[in-house]
PDB file of all heavy atoms in Angstrom:
ATOM      1  N   GLU A   1     -19.776   2.063  28.116  1.00 93.00           N
ATOM      2  CA  GLU A   1     -20.338   3.348  27.680  1.00 93.00           C
ATOM      3  C   GLU A   1     -19.271   4.122  26.904  1.00 93.00           C
ATOM      4  O   GLU A   1     -18.229   4.472  27.457  1.00 93.00           O
ATOM      5  CB  GLU A   1     -20.797   4.134  28.921  1.00 93.00           C
ATOM      6  CG  GLU A   1     -21.913   5.117  28.657  1.00 93.00           C
ATOM      7  CD  GLU A   1     -21.412   6.360  27.907  1.00 93.00           C
ATOM      8  OE1 GLU A   1     -20.432   6.947  28.386  1.00 93.00           O
ATOM      9  OE2 GLU A   1     -21.996   6.699  26.856  1.00 93.00           O
ATOM     10  N   PRO A   2     -19.485   4.416  25.617  1.00 95.00           N
ATOM     11  CA  PRO A   2     -18.434   4.993  24.772  1.00 95.00           C
ATOM     12  C   PRO A   2     -17.870   6.318  25.283  1.00 95.00           C
ATOM     13  O   PRO A   2     -16.655   6.555  25.181  1.00 95.00           O
ATOM     14  CB  PRO A   2     -19.148   5.181  23.420  1.00 95.00           C
ATOM     15  CG  PRO A   2     -20.231   4.162  23.422  1.00 95.00           C
ATOM     16  CD  PRO A   2     -20.699   4.079  24.832  1.00 95.00           C
ATOM     17  N   GLU A   3     -18.692   7.171  25.838  1.00 95.00           N
ATOM     18  CA  GLU A   3     -18.201   8.470  26.287  1.00 95.00           C
ATOM     19  C   GLU A   3     -17.222   8.304  27.451  1.00 95.00           C
ATOM     20  O   GLU A   3     -16.240   9.058  27.561  1.00 95.00           O
ATOM     21  CB  GLU A   3     -19.366   9.367  26.690  1.00 95.00           C
ATOM     22  CG  GLU A   3     -18.968  10.775  27.113  1.00 95.00           C
ATOM     23  CD  GLU A   3     -18.350  11.617  26.008  1.00 95.00           C
ATOM     24  OE1 GLU A   3     -18.340  11.173  24.832  1.00 95.00           O
ATOM     25  OE2 GLU A   3     -17.861  12.722  26.315  1.00 95.00           O
ATOM     26  N   ARG A   4     -17.457   7.353  28.310  1.00 95.00           N
ATOM     27  CA  ARG A   4     -16.537   7.098  29.430  1.00 95.00           C
ATOM     28  C   ARG A   4     -15.175   6.662  28.901  1.00 95.00           C
ATOM     29  O   ARG A   4     -14.135   7.053  29.434  1.00 95.00           O
ATOM     30  CB  ARG A   4     -17.125   6.045  30.357  1.00 95.00           C
ATOM     31  CG  ARG A   4     -18.398   6.482  31.063  1.00 95.00           C
ATOM     32  CD  ARG A   4     -19.015   5.332  31.855  1.00 95.00           C
ATOM     33  NE  ARG A   4     -20.308   5.714  32.417  1.00 95.00           N
ATOM     34  CZ  ARG A   4     -21.143   4.881  33.011  1.00 95.00           C
ATOM     35  NH1 ARG A   4     -20.827   3.594  33.132  1.00 95.00           N
ATOM     36  NH2 ARG A   4     -22.307   5.302  33.497  1.00 95.00           N
ATOM     37  N   VAL A   5     -15.173   5.854  27.858  1.00 97.00           N
ATOM     38  CA  VAL A   5     -13.907   5.414  27.260  1.00 97.00           C
ATOM     39  C   VAL A   5     -13.197   6.586  26.599  1.00 97.00           C
ATOM     40  O   VAL A   5     -11.971   6.767  26.755  1.00 97.00           O
ATOM     41  CB  VAL A   5     -14.161   4.290  26.244  1.00 97.00           C
ATOM     42  CG1 VAL A   5     -12.867   3.875  25.570  1.00 97.00           C
ATOM     43  CG2 VAL A   5     -14.818   3.087  26.933  1.00 97.00           C
ATOM     44  N   ARG A   6     -13.949   7.424  25.887  1.00 97.00           N
ATOM     45  CA  ARG A   6     -13.349   8.563  25.198  1.00 97.00           C
ATOM     46  C   ARG A   6     -12.649   9.491  26.187  1.00 97.00           C
ATOM     47  O   ARG A   6     -11.512   9.929  25.963  1.00 97.00           O
ATOM     48  CB  ARG A   6     -14.408   9.332  24.422  1.00 97.00           C
ATOM     49  CG  ARG A   6     -13.848  10.465  23.551  1.00 97.00           C
ATOM     50  CD  ARG A   6     -14.956  11.309  22.955  1.00 97.00           C
ATOM     51  NE  ARG A   6     -15.645  12.115  23.953  1.00 97.00           N
ATOM     52  CZ  ARG A   6     -15.163  13.275  24.421  1.00 97.00           C
ATOM     53  NH1 ARG A   6     -14.011  13.754  23.988  1.00 97.00           N
ATOM     54  NH2 ARG A   6     -15.858  13.954  25.311  1.00 97.00           N
ATOM     55  N   LEU A   7     -13.293   9.780  27.302  1.00 95.00           N
ATOM     56  CA  LEU A   7     -12.723  10.662  28.294  1.00 95.00           C
ATOM     57  C   LEU A   7     -11.520  10.035  28.990  1.00 95.00           C
ATOM     58  O   LEU A   7     -10.522  10.706  29.292  1.00 95.00           O
ATOM     59  CB  LEU A   7     -13.786  11.062  29.320  1.00 95.00           C
ATOM     60  CG  LEU A   7     -14.933  11.924  28.800  1.00 95.00           C
ATOM     61  CD1 LEU A   7     -16.003  12.092  29.852  1.00 95.00           C
ATOM     62  CD2 LEU A   7     -14.427  13.284  28.333  1.00 95.00           C
ATOM     63  N   ALA A   8     -11.600   8.737  29.248  1.00 97.00           N
ATOM     64  CA  ALA A   8     -10.506   8.057  29.952  1.00 97.00           C
ATOM     65  C   ALA A   8      -9.239   7.999  29.128  1.00 97.00           C
ATOM     66  O   ALA A   8      -8.136   8.000  29.684  1.00 97.00           O
ATOM     67  CB  ALA A   8     -10.953   6.645  30.333  1.00 97.00           C
ATOM     68  N   ARG A   9      -9.367   7.964  27.811  1.00 97.00           N
ATOM     69  CA  ARG A   9      -8.183   7.804  26.951  1.00 97.00           C
ATOM     70  C   ARG A   9      -7.218   8.978  27.038  1.00 97.00           C
ATOM     71  O   ARG A   9      -6.057   8.869  26.643  1.00 97.00           O
ATOM     72  CB  ARG A   9      -8.619   7.561  25.508  1.00 97.00           C
ATOM     73  CG  ARG A   9      -9.085   6.119  25.309  1.00 97.00           C
ATOM     74  CD  ARG A   9      -9.553   5.816  23.912  1.00 97.00           C
ATOM     75  NE  ARG A   9      -9.771   4.378  23.758  1.00 97.00           N
ATOM     76  CZ  ARG A   9     -10.497   3.819  22.798  1.00 97.00           C
ATOM     77  NH1 ARG A   9     -11.113   4.575  21.898  1.00 97.00           N
ATOM     78  NH2 ARG A   9     -10.622   2.506  22.741  1.00 97.00           N
ATOM     79  N   ILE A  10      -7.659  10.067  27.593  1.00 97.00           N
ATOM     80  CA  ILE A  10      -6.764  11.209  27.847  1.00 97.00           C
ATOM     81  C   ILE A  10      -5.645  10.795  28.808  1.00 97.00           C
ATOM     82  O   ILE A  10      -4.539  11.342  28.760  1.00 97.00           O
ATOM     83  CB  ILE A  10      -7.556  12.404  28.422  1.00 97.00           C
ATOM     84  CG1 ILE A  10      -8.616  12.864  27.422  1.00 97.00           C
ATOM     85  CG2 ILE A  10      -6.645  13.556  28.807  1.00 97.00           C
ATOM     86  CD1 ILE A  10      -9.585  13.894  27.981  1.00 97.00           C
ATOM     87  N   LEU A  11      -5.934   9.826  29.659  1.00 97.00           N
ATOM     88  CA  LEU A  11      -4.998   9.402  30.698  1.00 97.00           C
ATOM     89  C   LEU A  11      -4.148   8.205  30.280  1.00 97.00           C
ATOM     90  O   LEU A  11      -3.371   7.689  31.092  1.00 97.00           O
ATOM     91  CB  LEU A  11      -5.758   9.057  31.977  1.00 97.00           C
ATOM     92  CG  LEU A  11      -6.581  10.204  32.592  1.00 97.00           C
ATOM     93  CD1 LEU A  11      -7.371   9.699  33.792  1.00 97.00           C
ATOM     94  CD2 LEU A  11      -5.668  11.342  33.014  1.00 97.00           C
ATOM     95  N   GLU A  12      -4.259   7.763  29.051  1.00 97.00           N
ATOM     96  CA  GLU A  12      -3.469   6.626  28.602  1.00 97.00           C
ATOM     97  C   GLU A  12      -1.973   6.933  28.644  1.00 97.00           C
ATOM     98  O   GLU A  12      -1.551   8.070  28.448  1.00 97.00           O
ATOM     99  CB  GLU A  12      -3.882   6.200  27.198  1.00 97.00           C
ATOM    100  CG  GLU A  12      -5.242   5.539  27.139  1.00 97.00           C
ATOM    101  CD  GLU A  12      -5.578   4.976  25.775  1.00 97.00           C
ATOM    102  OE1 GLU A  12      -5.000   5.454  24.769  1.00 97.00           O
ATOM    103  OE2 GLU A  12      -6.435   4.069  25.709  1.00 97.00           O
ATOM    104  N   ARG A  13      -1.217   5.900  28.913  1.00 97.00           N
ATOM    105  CA  ARG A  13       0.247   5.995  28.976  1.00 97.00           C
ATOM    106  C   ARG A  13       0.800   4.608  28.699  1.00 97.00           C
ATOM    107  O   ARG A  13       0.010   3.641  28.625  1.00 97.00           O
ATOM    108  CB  ARG A  13       0.685   6.482  30.358  1.00 97.00           C
ATOM    109  CG  ARG A  13       0.370   5.512  31.487  1.00 97.00           C
ATOM    110  CD  ARG A  13       0.599   6.067  32.867  1.00 97.00           C
ATOM    111  NE  ARG A  13      -0.496   6.948  33.273  1.00 97.00           N
ATOM    112  CZ  ARG A  13      -0.671   7.362  34.516  1.00 97.00           C
ATOM    113  NH1 ARG A  13       0.195   6.983  35.464  1.00 97.00           N
ATOM    114  NH2 ARG A  13      -1.678   8.146  34.831  1.00 97.00           N
ATOM    115  N   PRO A  14       2.102   4.439  28.544  1.00 97.00           N
ATOM    116  CA  PRO A  14       2.635   3.089  28.313  1.00 97.00           C
ATOM    117  C   PRO A  14       2.189   2.141  29.424  1.00 97.00           C
ATOM    118  O   PRO A  14       2.394   2.404  30.608  1.00 97.00           O
ATOM    119  CB  PRO A  14       4.153   3.310  28.332  1.00 97.00           C
ATOM    120  CG  PRO A  14       4.328   4.716  27.857  1.00 97.00           C
ATOM    121  CD  PRO A  14       3.161   5.478  28.422  1.00 97.00           C
ATOM    122  N   GLY A  15       1.537   1.060  29.048  1.00 98.00           N
ATOM    123  CA  GLY A  15       1.065   0.073  30.003  1.00 98.00           C
ATOM    124  C   GLY A  15      -0.383   0.260  30.425  1.00 98.00           C
ATOM    125  O   GLY A  15      -0.973  -0.650  31.013  1.00 98.00           O
ATOM    126  N   LEU A  16      -0.962   1.424  30.145  1.00 98.00           N
ATOM    127  CA  LEU A  16      -2.345   1.711  30.557  1.00 98.00           C
ATOM    128  C   LEU A  16      -3.161   2.165  29.350  1.00 98.00           C
ATOM    129  O   LEU A  16      -2.794   3.131  28.670  1.00 98.00           O
ATOM    130  CB  LEU A  16      -2.368   2.799  31.623  1.00 98.00           C
ATOM    131  CG  LEU A  16      -3.760   3.298  32.059  1.00 98.00           C
ATOM    132  CD1 LEU A  16      -4.540   2.173  32.742  1.00 98.00           C
ATOM    133  CD2 LEU A  16      -3.627   4.496  33.000  1.00 98.00           C
ATOM    134  N   SER A  17      -4.275   1.464  29.090  1.00 98.00           N
ATOM    135  CA  SER A  17      -5.146   1.834  27.972  1.00 98.00           C
ATOM    136  C   SER A  17      -6.589   1.582  28.379  1.00 98.00           C
ATOM    137  O   SER A  17      -6.881   0.960  29.390  1.00 98.00           O
ATOM    138  CB  SER A  17      -4.794   1.030  26.721  1.00 98.00           C
ATOM    139  OG  SER A  17      -4.968  -0.356  26.956  1.00 98.00           O
ATOM    140  N   PHE A  18      -7.507   2.086  27.546  1.00 98.00           N
ATOM    141  CA  PHE A  18      -8.941   1.960  27.808  1.00 98.00           C
ATOM    142  C   PHE A  18      -9.633   1.456  26.562  1.00 98.00           C
ATOM    143  O   PHE A  18      -9.284   1.854  25.435  1.00 98.00           O
ATOM    144  CB  PHE A  18      -9.492   3.295  28.291  1.00 98.00           C
ATOM    145  CG  PHE A  18      -8.918   3.754  29.582  1.00 98.00           C
ATOM    146  CD1 PHE A  18      -7.772   4.548  29.616  1.00 98.00           C
ATOM    147  CD2 PHE A  18      -9.473   3.353  30.791  1.00 98.00           C
ATOM    148  CE1 PHE A  18      -7.209   4.957  30.825  1.00 98.00           C
ATOM    149  CE2 PHE A  18      -8.911   3.738  32.011  1.00 98.00           C
ATOM    150  CZ  PHE A  18      -7.776   4.552  32.019  1.00 98.00           C
ATOM    151  N   GLN A  19     -10.638   0.598  26.765  1.00 97.00           N
ATOM    152  CA  GLN A  19     -11.264  -0.111  25.666  1.00 97.00           C
ATOM    153  C   GLN A  19     -12.773  -0.200  25.880  1.00 97.00           C
ATOM    154  O   GLN A  19     -13.234  -0.436  26.990  1.00 97.00           O
ATOM    155  CB  GLN A  19     -10.682  -1.525  25.564  1.00 97.00           C
ATOM    156  CG  GLN A  19     -11.314  -2.433  24.564  1.00 97.00           C
ATOM    157  CD  GLN A  19     -11.031  -2.001  23.134  1.00 97.00           C
ATOM    158  OE1 GLN A  19      -9.900  -1.644  22.813  1.00 97.00           O
ATOM    159  NE2 GLN A  19     -12.057  -2.001  22.287  1.00 97.00           N
ATOM    160  N   LEU A  20     -13.529  -0.026  24.807  1.00 97.00           N
ATOM    161  CA  LEU A  20     -14.973  -0.226  24.840  1.00 97.00           C
ATOM    162  C   LEU A  20     -15.266  -1.723  24.881  1.00 97.00           C
ATOM    163  O   LEU A  20     -14.723  -2.494  24.087  1.00 97.00           O
ATOM    164  CB  LEU A  20     -15.619   0.393  23.603  1.00 97.00           C
ATOM    165  CG  LEU A  20     -17.146   0.270  23.495  1.00 97.00           C
ATOM    166  CD1 LEU A  20     -17.818   1.142  24.556  1.00 97.00           C
ATOM    167  CD2 LEU A  20     -17.619   0.681  22.103  1.00 97.00           C
ATOM    168  N   GLY A  21     -16.130  -2.142  25.799  1.00 96.00           N
ATOM    169  CA  GLY A  21     -16.489  -3.551  25.870  1.00 96.00           C
ATOM    170  C   GLY A  21     -17.266  -3.879  27.118  1.00 96.00           C
ATOM    171  O   GLY A  21     -17.618  -3.012  27.921  1.00 96.00           O
ATOM    172  N   GLY A  22     -17.525  -5.175  27.285  1.00 96.00           N
ATOM    173  CA  GLY A  22     -18.289  -5.653  28.431  1.00 96.00           C
ATOM    174  C   GLY A  22     -17.704  -6.935  28.980  1.00 96.00           C
ATOM    175  O   GLY A  22     -16.489  -7.144  28.957  1.00 96.00           O
ATOM    176  N   PHE A  23     -18.590  -7.831  29.419  1.00 96.00           N
ATOM    177  CA  PHE A  23     -18.128  -9.053  30.068  1.00 96.00           C
ATOM    178  C   PHE A  23     -17.373  -9.991  29.134  1.00 96.00           C
ATOM    179  O   PHE A  23     -16.707 -10.919  29.596  1.00 96.00           O
ATOM    180  CB  PHE A  23     -19.316  -9.792  30.688  1.00 96.00           C
ATOM    181  CG  PHE A  23     -19.986  -9.030  31.802  1.00 96.00           C
ATOM    182  CD1 PHE A  23     -21.301  -8.598  31.676  1.00 96.00           C
ATOM    183  CD2 PHE A  23     -19.304  -8.749  32.972  1.00 96.00           C
ATOM    184  CE1 PHE A  23     -21.926  -7.894  32.699  1.00 96.00           C
ATOM    185  CE2 PHE A  23     -19.910  -8.043  33.995  1.00 96.00           C
ATOM    186  CZ  PHE A  23     -21.231  -7.614  33.868  1.00 96.00           C
ATOM    187  N   GLU A  24     -17.473  -9.774  27.826  1.00 96.00           N
ATOM    188  CA  GLU A  24     -16.746 -10.620  26.890  1.00 96.00           C
ATOM    189  C   GLU A  24     -15.241 -10.319  26.890  1.00 96.00           C
ATOM    190  O   GLU A  24     -14.443 -11.072  26.345  1.00 96.00           O
ATOM    191  CB  GLU A  24     -17.318 -10.460  25.473  1.00 96.00           C
ATOM    192  CG  GLU A  24     -16.890  -9.195  24.738  1.00 96.00           C
ATOM    193  CD  GLU A  24     -17.581  -7.921  25.204  1.00 96.00           C
ATOM    194  OE1 GLU A  24     -18.414  -7.994  26.119  1.00 96.00           O
ATOM    195  OE2 GLU A  24     -17.265  -6.857  24.648  1.00 96.00           O
ATOM    196  N   LEU A  25     -14.847  -9.187  27.510  1.00 96.00           N
ATOM    197  CA  LEU A  25     -13.441  -8.783  27.653  1.00 96.00           C
ATOM    198  C   LEU A  25     -12.715  -8.737  26.288  1.00 96.00           C
ATOM    199  O   LEU A  25     -11.894  -9.600  25.970  1.00 96.00           O
ATOM    200  CB  LEU A  25     -12.696  -9.714  28.599  1.00 96.00           C
ATOM    201  CG  LEU A  25     -13.252  -9.867  30.015  1.00 96.00           C
ATOM    202  CD1 LEU A  25     -12.302 -10.723  30.851  1.00 96.00           C
ATOM    203  CD2 LEU A  25     -13.474  -8.523  30.673  1.00 96.00           C
ATOM    204  N   PRO A  26     -12.981  -7.705  25.506  1.00 95.00           N
ATOM    205  CA  PRO A  26     -12.377  -7.610  24.173  1.00 95.00           C
ATOM    206  C   PRO A  26     -10.932  -7.100  24.235  1.00 95.00           C
ATOM    207  O   PRO A  26     -10.599  -5.999  23.773  1.00 95.00           O
ATOM    208  CB  PRO A  26     -13.297  -6.606  23.477  1.00 95.00           C
ATOM    209  CG  PRO A  26     -13.719  -5.695  24.590  1.00 95.00           C
ATOM    210  CD  PRO A  26     -13.864  -6.571  25.810  1.00 95.00           C
ATOM    211  N   VAL A  27     -10.053  -7.898  24.829  1.00 95.00           N
ATOM    212  CA  VAL A  27      -8.655  -7.505  24.973  1.00 95.00           C
ATOM    213  C   VAL A  27      -7.783  -8.609  24.368  1.00 95.00           C
ATOM    214  O   VAL A  27      -8.162  -9.777  24.365  1.00 95.00           O
ATOM    215  CB  VAL A  27      -8.271  -7.285  26.445  1.00 95.00           C
ATOM    216  CG1 VAL A  27      -9.061  -6.136  27.034  1.00 95.00           C
ATOM    217  CG2 VAL A  27      -8.495  -8.550  27.280  1.00 95.00           C
ATOM    218  N   PRO A  28      -6.620  -8.258  23.835  1.00 92.00           N
ATOM    219  CA  PRO A  28      -5.723  -9.287  23.294  1.00 92.00           C
ATOM    220  C   PRO A  28      -5.050 -10.053  24.418  1.00 92.00           C
ATOM    221  O   PRO A  28      -4.459  -9.464  25.316  1.00 92.00           O
ATOM    222  CB  PRO A  28      -4.705  -8.461  22.488  1.00 92.00           C
ATOM    223  CG  PRO A  28      -4.693  -7.126  23.154  1.00 92.00           C
ATOM    224  CD  PRO A  28      -6.089  -6.894  23.643  1.00 92.00           C
ATOM    225  N   GLY A  29      -5.153 -11.348  24.385  1.00 95.00           N
ATOM    226  CA  GLY A  29      -4.547 -12.165  25.420  1.00 95.00           C
ATOM    227  C   GLY A  29      -5.526 -12.529  26.519  1.00 95.00           C
ATOM    228  O   GLY A  29      -6.705 -12.133  26.501  1.00 95.00           O
ATOM    229  N   ARG A  30      -5.035 -13.273  27.487  1.00 98.00           N
ATOM    230  CA  ARG A  30      -5.853 -13.712  28.625  1.00 98.00           C
ATOM    231  C   ARG A  30      -5.367 -13.025  29.892  1.00 98.00           C
ATOM    232  O   ARG A  30      -4.193 -13.186  30.256  1.00 98.00           O
ATOM    233  CB  ARG A  30      -5.781 -15.232  28.771  1.00 98.00           C
ATOM    234  CG  ARG A  30      -6.498 -15.972  27.635  1.00 98.00           C
ATOM    235  CD  ARG A  30      -6.490 -17.473  27.860  1.00 98.00           C
ATOM    236  NE  ARG A  30      -7.339 -18.138  26.879  1.00 98.00           N
ATOM    237  CZ  ARG A  30      -8.642 -18.368  27.021  1.00 98.00           C
ATOM    238  NH1 ARG A  30      -9.249 -17.967  28.116  1.00 98.00           N
ATOM    239  NH2 ARG A  30      -9.331 -18.984  26.080  1.00 98.00           N
ATOM    240  N   PRO A  31      -6.210 -12.284  30.555  1.00 98.00           N
ATOM    241  CA  PRO A  31      -5.782 -11.536  31.740  1.00 98.00           C
ATOM    242  C   PRO A  31      -5.507 -12.442  32.938  1.00 98.00           C
ATOM    243  O   PRO A  31      -6.165 -13.446  33.153  1.00 98.00           O
ATOM    244  CB  PRO A  31      -6.959 -10.604  32.018  1.00 98.00           C
ATOM    245  CG  PRO A  31      -8.133 -11.260  31.376  1.00 98.00           C
ATOM    246  CD  PRO A  31      -7.605 -11.995  30.188  1.00 98.00           C
ATOM    247  N   VAL A  32      -4.521 -12.017  33.734  1.00 98.00           N
ATOM    248  CA  VAL A  32      -4.199 -12.733  34.966  1.00 98.00           C
ATOM    249  C   VAL A  32      -5.043 -12.214  36.127  1.00 98.00           C
ATOM    250  O   VAL A  32      -5.251 -12.921  37.111  1.00 98.00           O
ATOM    251  CB  VAL A  32      -2.689 -12.638  35.278  1.00 98.00           C
ATOM    252  CG1 VAL A  32      -2.282 -11.203  35.613  1.00 98.00           C
ATOM    253  CG2 VAL A  32      -2.296 -13.576  36.397  1.00 98.00           C
TER     254      VAL A  32
END
C-alpha cells in the first residue's frame, strides 16, 4: 500500500529503508 510506505520513510536511517512491493520482494540482493 503506497501510503504506508510514504509514511514509513520518515523513519528511514542507515540500514533501514522501506519499499513498495509484494511477495515478489523487489529488493536488491537475496535476503537471509
Side-chain angles (χ1 to χ4, degrees):
E1 207 286 308
E3 183 65 8
R4 295 173 186 172
V5 177
R6 186 187 70 80
L7 294 173
R9 282 179 170 161
I10 298 171
L11 300 176
E12 289 187 336
R13 66 189 78 166
L16 175 64
S17 61
F18 296 90
Q19 174 69 44
L20 180 69
F23 295 116
E24 78 285 359
L25 303 186
V27 297
R30 290 184 172 272
V32 67

